[in-house]
Amino acid sequence: MRKFVFAVLLLSGELTIAQRQVRPDATCLIPDVIKKVEKRGYFITSLDFFKGLPRVDIREPMDAPVDRLLKDLLRGLNLRAWISDTDRTITFGRLYPSSSSRFTELRCRVVNEKGQPMPDATVMGGRSIVLTDKDGWFHIPVQSFETRVQITVTGYGALSISLSNREVDTIALTPAAKGLDRVIVNAFGVTTQRLNTGSVFNVQGSDIRDVPSGHVLDGLAARVPGFYDRVPNGVPGTAHITTLGGQHSIVSGNRIYWLLDGVPLAADGSFNPIETGTAQGMNGAGSLNFIPADIVGSVSLLKDASATTIYGSRASTGVVLITLKAGKPGSVLHWGANFNMGVGRALHTSRMIGTTQFLQMRTEAVNNDGYTADISRVPELKWDKNRQVDYQHFTTGGTARIANGSLTLSGGSPHVFFLTSASLHRETTVFPGSTSDERRSLYGNLHVQSGHDRLELILSALYTWEGNHLPIDDYTGDQRLAPNAPPFYNAVGQPQWSGQSLSFLNIPALGGNEYFGNFYTLVGHMKLSYQLGKHISIEQNLGYNGILTNERALQPLSGQAPGGQSPLAAGIITQQGNQYTSTIVQTISRWVGQVGPGMLTGLLGVERQGRVTSSSAQMSSYITDAQMYSNLGATKNSGSGNQLYYRYAAAFARVDYDVSNRYLLTASWRRDGSSRFGPGNQYGNFWAVGLGWIFSEESFLHENSILSYGKVRASMGTTGNDQIGDGQYAETYSAASSNRGYSGMQGVVPVTLANTHLQWELNYREEVALELGFFDNKIQFSVAASRNQSANQMIYKSVGPVAGLPGVLSNEPIKVINEALEFVLETNLVSTKQWCWTSAATLTIPRNVLQSWPGLDNSQYASTYVPGHSLSVIKGYHLIGVDPGTGNYVFKTAVAGGAPGLQDMVPIAGTDPRFYAGWSNRLKFGNWELDLLIDWRRQNGFNPLLVLGRDNAPGRQAPSQLSNGPVEWLDHWRNPGDHAKQQRLTTTPGSGTDSAWLNYLQSDAWTIDASFIRCKSFDIFYSLPCKVTKKLGLRTCKVYISAQNLWTHSHFPITDPETQDPKALPPLRTVVGGIKINF
Amino acid sequence: MSLLTKWLPGLCLPALVFLLSGCRQLVRAPLPENEMSIGAVFGSDADAQQAMAGVYVTMMNNSRAAFNGGISLDAGLSADELYCTQPYAPEDSFQLFKLPPSNMQNTRIFNTIYELVYFLNTMLAGLPGSSGVSAPVKARLEGEVLFNRALLYFYLVNLYGGVPIALTPKYMTNTSLQRASADSVNARVIADLQKAVLLLPEEYISDASDPGARTRPNQAAAKALLARVWLYRGQWDSAEAAAANVIGDPRYQLESDPDSVFLSRSREAIWQLQPVYEDKATADGYAYLKPAPIGRPLYVLTTDLLGSMEAGDERKLHWTHSLVYKGQVLVCPFKYKLLADTGTAMEYEMVLRLAEQYLIRAEARARQGELSGAISDVNVIRARAGLAPTPAMTQTDILDAIAHERRIELFTEWGHRWLDLKRTGQATTVLQTKTGWDPHDSLYPIPAAELLANPGMPQNPGY
């Protein structure tokens, strides 16, 4: 979509108007007129044009429309104004008199939408390629009056225009807001979709900002091809599970490399979990929560080698660059405010079985084994058979309240400008009690430029505090409590844990087991750049990210079953503190200039990184709850701590060569050193090349009415992976595990076998892509095919017991392939003043294959990986179904009717997505705007029936009487001839039915279809008409309703197909209403 | 050219910064705080002692793996000492002689022994070159390492036959080591012990937590083990001399009260291992006592063993414990009496004790025809048990009496009975009454995990 909006001023007739008389006694002072215009809400740049022109005659009345008033004001002056109604700015530019010879050089000035000069714009015309100077001027020797020139500035789109050397023109460019020529951030610089040779996908901050959760990842999901995001539960603040381009590495982690304004984040993805766990599940709190969605300017996701090689051995999975908003040069202070509030409820899950059917199931299971169902075998019969409680009320049935607020202030002079923002997010949970997740952030960005714009300084800092108050456990699984369990409180209001001497789980009492998490994050970034000469600039970056976590879990006696799991019968406080710091120092020099027929951009840089992770954990026991809450008289304390160091150094270079915006070449190289490898293996080289051909610029297609843009690009290269623990290459000793030690000494023991040959995993990536634009880029389509081979995989290789330790981390010639086809279709078919419809659809078809693993059969991984299949494929029995005669599960066996054994193991379908797609729509009608995002995934997921079954088989008594199950359990075999999905019930271990059950747990019933289509977000905005906003003194005002997870279609049983865990809280359906004001 | 001079300085600056700082230094990071490099471990006397302590902690924190009651229990089940009252697959397999190479318990014994061998070999590799460890400490630690390694190989060769001999910490070599002959393993055991005798001092090392404890092996421990190995090898004179040396040491006296034998201050102890968890006593106590207060005890003594105990044997009174379960009298071992650490009368895991030395010397003397000496040694043990002197007169009778005394004195300790039956060639004669016995069962199988990692290694016959 060639939707770059440019405003070109070609002055023809007006130029010849004679200089207007400017008299000192004229009626109006120009600044007065300007002030009047400013009062109408316009922002005016480039006022310095009016120096020495104090008074003019104005014919128009002062309340005339602005365009007429300005036209009148500039009458006869060699000045021109252009007015942008979209962002209400007025820019002035100067006009120059014409010349006469056709050999006179062509002179022109390039300015931006604010009328500021644009230095370093590439201008091609005649036989020359030049760059504009610091005032935006360029001069080209020409041999005709009319010359076609092409002007290219990153982010503004290539502009091709005929200029006359008899006139001096000012060309004003307006930045492309969308589409091919919008600025996107890539590695160590910016580019555009048009000129990029690698796989860089950019998401605008405006798409992310409106997410009710305020979570950046929620704004990326379903918008980016190749980016797979899964929430493990609906608890606020939970770490997402994300992959970019699939699973490359078998055991060494597949974490994305996150950079915030160029600063590597100190904790990627999640934190060290606290020992007690939290309701957020095993992944704990997300370490990206601290970035308020409000201040995100854009997010770039880099996947292929051409884009990521320059990040070296940390870029194996891909790189995500988050750029925060910055201020814009200007002289007026802008205030912005955004507030919204709303509610959230857990998505629908299966109903639990009612009392009558529950007791019938329990009885049936006992009867099936040939026993009488009395209270010794079905103890729940002791309880009131007519009582039925729906435990959802006590577990996940609440309503979460969500509130977001942010204030932004920006402004400054053309040389010093800033943006500062404060945001607040608070949400409660659907769990009972006063649980919540709260975030407060402060952000500031300051931009300082020297008068000649040679020196530039950017300072930014983001500080966030996040406070979590959550239960220690997710209550969702507790809904399985027998529906006729006695009341949680006895007649005198005391909590009870048993009735009729049968103990049960007291769900409300669990509320006493609380978790408090405090997370403090600071990100600071400084960039200092200096333009050394016409071609060369040098840049220094300093970055810091510090995260301090302080987590505390309280487990009072009142929250534990009496005489239960705790052997000490004590109240316990568990505390954990983590400190993550990451620093980066980077020096980059750039060279830009013409070399041969094209423009060369060269980049050379060096960087050092350091990361320190400290952790400490402490556990204290108390005899009484009172002592625990007052933190007095701990009977037992135990603690541990550790500190990890990671250092990193690299030199890198990149060359971009662009011939006529048609032929593009990118080559990059990086030499990397990581402290995670032993001496001699620390340094390695990575390289990539990318090629692009914009064939639509060729003469045979130029100005084709249908095909407006066409590019093929291809890239190949290498990236690395060093995501192993620190110090793994060395032979190291660690404290022996015992709490008394030996003869007064703690003792140390060897913990790792030294592997000094350890080196990074290497990925070879190849990608080819075709990008097309039709009908003036109203329709844009791209398809990319990529292949990634990860070799030299680091795995824990068993060396056999005789060697002493179980295994050693070693590089093995194992190959994992990730292939993907990615499609993107963007349309902008309707764009009138009244109506506007844009949409973007993405589709990703990934394929993950374990290509080869020499010696797999003789390793400890023999049953967990299957060559020729995805890494998520494991081996198990093939379930045929339930035998209508016996009622037992039947499996495919080599010997008919025999028990399934090792030889009957078949690959079980993996949980990789078969494809995933997103479709986002934005429809504008007058003052109304409607946004819709659909998320569609075809995939297999873990069978929740089987997951529940691992805890407790249907019909069997479970500890704490969590014996109930979802209504799906009712579909089981009862009598000979029944065709049921689940087998007959049994309570006896060792029976034939029981061994069929155990085989079932190891069968291909493990995964089932978990496809879904979900309305991920749905927003309606209404902008107040200009008349109203003017009256209120506002620039813009929008009211809106925003909804998440409004609707889901899936055949997945029991729980949500995304979380897939029947014991985890499903995602929430949230609706918020809010207002956005700018003034 | 002018262009070049203009931009060259700018391009060179970053490169200069990089080069000046030196590549190696840039990416050198300290190890995680919880970890020490091998250099740091052998950097000082105190640190090297910590590494030795780590070995003993590992021996004791792997409850019932090899040490801390593991070999005692499993070999006890294989021999005619113990039986398990409930079907429990991993340990049941020992008494029923149905030991698959994948058996978890057998794998744990094998793995933990080699793990300890590896720990010891890292010390042996690190100690000599270290400049921070003083010469006396170096000698003592080297002696301890060799002694312990000999003990580990002693059990390996007696449980599994010829095994790979790993003498260095180089896992790349060790991972493909082939099985050595039983003789060469034994030769290595003897060589290590002889060297240990020279290196180890006579005194016990002072124990900060329990002064006077015998928790670190001394010279006498090496001699005691050497006496046992020579006895096993049929070198009677050497065995007699070594045992006599220990018996003659005034530090060691038989405890007159059988209840005091396994306590931490036992004067009979030559070497004991200290429990390493605050709330736990020895795993022997835990294994035999835990189910006792409620329900059925898990491991009980065979009626055969109980029947062979003479009337009035103090050991039956003090070292066994009767329980009635569902009308049936079950007798459990009761040498170790503590389930948990009471903080007062501690029990330590007895590895070597004086009573065995008397029996070693008795047997060595009897084999050499010194019958009166043999009888007097046996009678020392019998006297402590409150029994009359043995009536045996002939060499055969005396050897039988010694075998009987070893059975009663050393039951459920470190697989003595199992190893005695095998070394004296009595295994088939005695054990064929048990279901499932086949002569090949006298050696446990090499665990499947080892065969998987080291293809080509031969399994013991019959598995």
Side-chain angles (χ1 to χ4, degrees), chain A residues 6-21:
Chain A
F6 58 88
V8 184
L9 182 66
L10 274 174
L11 301 169
S12 47
E14 277 179 276
L15 267 174
T16 55
I17 295 171
Q19 275 278 3
R20 181 173 162 202
Q21 284 293 315

Side-chain angles (χ1 to χ4, degrees), chain A residues 675-931:
Chain A
S675 65
R676 289 182 168 167
F677 302 107
N681 285 304
Q682 291 161 324
Y683 283 88
N685 293 306
F686 303 92
W687 59 270
V689 279
L691 293 169
W693 176 35
I694 305 179
F695 54 84
S696 54
E697 293 294 318
E698 298 291 347
S699 53
F700 57 88
L701 277 173
H702 202 62
E703 314 217 329
N704 184 301
S705 60
I706 299 171
L707 185 75
S708 45
Y709 166 68
K711 178 170 89 175
V712 281
R713 61 176 172 85
S715 70
M716 64 185 297
T718 59
T719 59
N721 178 11
D722 69 347
Q723 287 178 30
I724 49 170
D726 296 300
Q728 297 270 342
Y729 65 89
E731 183 171 14
T732 54
Y733 276 69
S734 191
S737 63
S738 72
N739 56 13
R740 188 158 57 188
Y742 192 83
S743 66
M745 291 182 280
Q746 176 62 48
V748 293
V749 290
V751 284
T752 47
L753 292 174
N755 181 359
T756 48
H757 302 295
L758 204 59
Q759 54 181 231
W760 23 69
E761 289 181 8
L762 203 56
N763 296 329
Y764 299 92
R765 294 178 180 228
E766 297 150 6
E767 178 161 323
V768 286
L770 175 69
E771 297 173 9
L772 299 170
F774 300 97
F775 307 112
D776 202 18
N777 292 335
K778 282 189 165 58
I779 299 174
Q780 278 184 75
F781 173 76
S782 75
V783 53
S786 64
R787 186 169 195 272
N788 183 341
Q789 188 188 65
S790 311
N792 213 16
Q793 294 265 349
M794 285 183 279
I795 58 158
Y796 277 98
K797 187 190 177 190
S798 170
V799 286
V802 169
L805 291 178
V808 61
L809 195 60
S810 109
N811 294 92
E812 293 295 313
I814 300 165
K815 286 182 181 138
V816 177
I817 305 276
N818 276 284
E819 290 171 332
L821 271 179
E822 293 169 5
F823 301 88
V824 180
L825 178 69
E826 289 177 86
T827 63
N828 181 19
L829 291 171
V830 185
S831 181
T832 67
K833 197 152 190 183
Q834 194 70 359
W835 282 89
C836 177
W837 175 50
T838 58
S839 84
T842 66
L843 169 67
T844 308
I845 308 174
R847 184 167 167 263
N848 177 278
V849 183
L850 174 62
Q851 194 190 32
S852 68
W853 185 328
L856 173 64
D857 290 341
N858 291 332
S859 78
Q860 70 264 47
Y861 301 101
S863 65
T864 31
Y865 296 103
V866 190
H869 289 82
S870 153
L871 290 176
S872 69
V873 167
I874 55 168
K875 280 184 175 175
Y877 307 125
H878 174 58
L879 176 69
I880 294 172
V882 174
D883 183 338
T886 63
N888 291 348
Y889 285 127
V890 191
F891 305 88
K892 193 180 170 201
T893 50
V895 186
L902 267 178
Q903 71 284 356
D904 300 314
M905 292 266 190
V906 293
I908 297 176
T911 53
D912 293 340
R914 263 164 291 174
F915 70 74
Y916 51 100
W919 186 39
S920 65
N921 281 280
R922 181 162 286 179
L923 184 68
K924 275 186 187 166
F925 173 68
N927 290 331
W928 292 89
E929 184 185 319
L930 200 144
D931 288 3

Side-chain angles (χ1 to χ4, degrees), chain A residues 98-412:
Chain A
S98 62
S99 67
S100 53
S101 163
R102 72 187 177 100
F103 294 104
T104 307
E105 67 172 9
L106 176 68
R107 285 176 296 148
C108 188
R109 187 167 182 253
V110 182
V111 297
N112 65 11
E113 75 283 9
K114 303 267 160 83
Q116 293 163 325
M118 303 272 294
D120 292 332
T122 310
V123 183
M124 286 181 271
R127 289 178 187 152
S128 313
I129 304 174
V130 296
L131 292 179
T132 54
D133 65 14
K134 68 178 174 18
D135 296 318
W137 285 100
F138 67 85
H139 308 260
I140 301 178
V142 288
Q143 283 140 34
S144 63
F145 287 120
E146 288 284 322
T147 310
R148 192 158 191 91
V149 298
Q150 190 171 11
I151 300 167
T152 319
V153 185
T154 304
Y156 285 81
L159 169 65
S160 185
I161 194 166
S162 280
L163 293 177
S164 164
N165 68 348
R166 286 170 298 182
E167 294 157 4
V168 175
D169 290 341
T170 297
I171 297 173
L173 303 169
T174 308
K178 243 181 124 52
L180 287 175
D181 297 303
R182 177 163 52 82
V183 172
I184 54 177
V185 178
N186 73 345
F188 307 109
V190 291
T191 182
T192 61
Q193 193 64 46
R194 179 189 296 275
L195 297 176
N196 182 35
T197 60
S199 170
V200 180
F201 195 90
N202 185 266
V203 179
Q204 280 295 94
S206 56
D207 290 330
I208 295 169
R209 267 167 233 163
D210 304 325
V211 180
S213 69
H215 199 300
V216 179
L217 289 175
D218 283 326
L220 295 180
R223 289 186 196 274
V224 185
F227 177 70
Y228 189 76
D229 172 85
R230 188 167 88 81
V231 285
N233 56 53
V235 180
T238 296
H240 289 219
I241 298 161
T242 51
T243 55
L244 196 52
Q247 188 189 351
H248 302 147
S249 178
I250 292 173
V251 292
S252 306
N254 287 278
R255 287 174 173 179
I256 296 169
Y257 184 36
W258 297 89
L259 291 120
L260 184 75
D261 277 343
V263 182
L265 296 187
D268 19 44
S270 58
F271 299 114
N272 295 338
I274 187 169
E275 201 174 312
T276 55
T278 82
Q280 289 171 328
M282 63 179 197
N283 288 300
S287 67
L288 297 165
N289 293 354
F290 74 93
I291 308 165
D294 289 88
I295 60 163
V296 172
S298 72
V299 179
S300 290
L301 298 97
L302 280 51
K303 284 190 306 243
D304 78 328
S306 172
T308 60
T309 286
I310 203 155
Y311 290 104
S313 68
R314 297 190 71 179
S316 74
T317 295
V319 180
V320 177
L321 309 173
I322 300 173
T323 309
L324 300 183
K325 282 203 279 189
K328 286 175 186 164
S331 59
V332 174
L333 284 185
H334 284 311
W335 280 95
N338 184 4
F339 292 100
N340 65 51
M341 282 179 85
V343 291
R345 283 184 69 85
L347 287 182
H348 170 78
T349 53
S350 282
R351 295 202 68 77
M352 291 288 139
I353 296 168
T355 302
T356 316
Q357 282 171 315
F358 167 71
L359 292 174
Q360 261 172 20
M361 269 186 79
R362 294 277 292 114
T363 307
E364 182 189 329
V366 169
N367 290 342
N368 279 351
D369 297 330
Y371 300 111
T372 319
D374 53 18
I375 56 165
S376 74
R377 295 195 186 271
V378 186
E380 292 95 333
L381 286 169
K382 289 178 189 170
W383 293 335
D384 186 349
K385 295 179 195 66
N386 298 317
R387 183 179 157 79
Q388 179 166 326
V389 187
D390 178 5
Y391 293 111
Q392 213 178 50
H393 170 66
F394 297 94
T395 55
T396 61
T399 301
R401 297 191 184 280
I402 297 153
N404 284 292
S406 72
L407 274 175
T408 308
L409 173 66
S410 69

Side-chain angles (χ1 to χ4, degrees), chain A residues 591 608 641-643 647 673 675 683 731-734 737 739-740 742-743 747-748 753-754 799 801-802 858, chain B residues 7 23 26-28 32-36 50 61 111 118 122 171 175 207 215 274-278 341 450 452:
Chain A
W591 189 87
R608 290 184 68 168
N642 199 4
Q643 193 153 340
R647 277 179 196 160
S675 65
Y683 283 88
E731 183 171 14
T732 54
Y733 276 69
S734 191
S737 63
N739 56 13
R740 188 158 57 188
Y742 192 83
S743 66
V748 293
L753 292 174
V799 286
V802 169
N858 291 332
Chain B
W7 56 261
C23 293
L26 284 174
V27 289
R28 185 170 292 169
E33 209 166 63
N34 278 355
E35 291 175 24
M36 290 171 91
Q50 290 284 359
N61 73 7
N111 288 9
Y118 171 74
T122 57
Y171 69 89
T175 188
D207 177 342
T215 50
Q274 199 180 40
V276 293
Y277 287 105
E278 270 170 13
D341 174 13
E450 175 60 31
L452 197 66

Side-chain angles (χ1 to χ4, degrees), chain A residues 273-277 472 514 550-556 560 565-577 615-623 627-628 631-641 739, chain B residues 278-279:
Chain A
I274 187 169
E275 201 174 312
T276 55
I472 285 181
E514 296 169 281
N550 180 0
E551 295 173 280
R552 210 152 64 95
L554 305 181
Q555 289 168 289
Q560 303 168 36
Q565 306 133 339
S566 171
L568 301 170
I572 294 169
I573 296 183
T574 311
Q575 294 196 71
Q576 174 162 300
S615 60
S616 70
Q618 201 192 331
M619 210 174 94
S620 310
S621 313
Y622 303 83
I623 297 290
Q627 285 182 355
M628 190 199 79
N631 210 347
L632 286 169
T635 52
K636 204 173 158 189
N637 284 303
S638 62
S640 62
N739 56 13
Chain B
E278 270 170 13
D279 48 352

